[in-house]
Amino acid sequence: MPTSESRTEWAQLFGALASEPRLRIIELIARGTVPCREILDRLGLSQPAISYHLSKLERAGIISKERIGGRNCYRLRPALEELFRFLLKEDVEWNTR
């Protein structure tokens, strides 16, 4: 039986995913580590908006940030990589039916 703490973590995770821009960010980084600049360029949102969405995903434990060559780069948390890749693959298959 889930604990109150684990239900809170699940709620935070699903709450962070309940946003189209954040789902687009996950689509980008599901393929590997991505610099913040690339996320900014690909999504076409303002820098403050991207920072807000990245922060929400990071606080929910979905992504992690690392510095590579002076740039902030983001990647999926390893425990979630396979899950998101599976979901993205299923989405493609579902939409081609």
Side-chain angles (χ1 to χ4, degrees):
M1 168 100 26
T3 65
S4 176
E5 185 177 310
S6 67
R7 280 190 296 276
T8 299
E9 289 173 3
W10 279 104
Q12 187 175 18
L13 180 122
F14 285 113
L17 294 174
S19 161
E20 193 256 339
R22 290 192 288 272
L23 289 174
R24 290 175 56 205
I25 289 170
I26 289 169
E27 285 179 55
L28 282 174
I29 65 176
R31 297 178 188 100
T33 303
V34 178
C36 185
R37 183 80 230 172
E38 184 176 339
I39 296 169
L40 187 62
D41 292 343
R42 292 285 225 29
L43 266 60
L45 298 174
S46 68
Q47 190 276 325
I50 294 293
S51 292
Y52 170 78
H53 292 301
L54 289 169
S55 176
K56 289 280 272 193
L57 291 168
E58 194 172 7
R59 279 193 312 255
I62 297 169
I63 65 171
S64 61
K65 174 173 62 175
E66 59 185 298
R67 297 280 292 176
I68 299 175
R71 296 188 285 174
N72 286 329
C73 297
Y74 294 86
R75 65 179 305 216
L76 286 175
R77 201 174 92 207
L80 298 173
E81 285 177 355
E82 197 61 37
L83 172 64
F84 284 115
R85 286 187 186 122
F86 171 78
L87 292 172
L88 290 170
K89 179 179 172 268
E90 286 299 309
D91 182 57
V92 169
E93 289 178 11
W94 179 261
N95 287 321
T96 59
R97 291 181 186 173

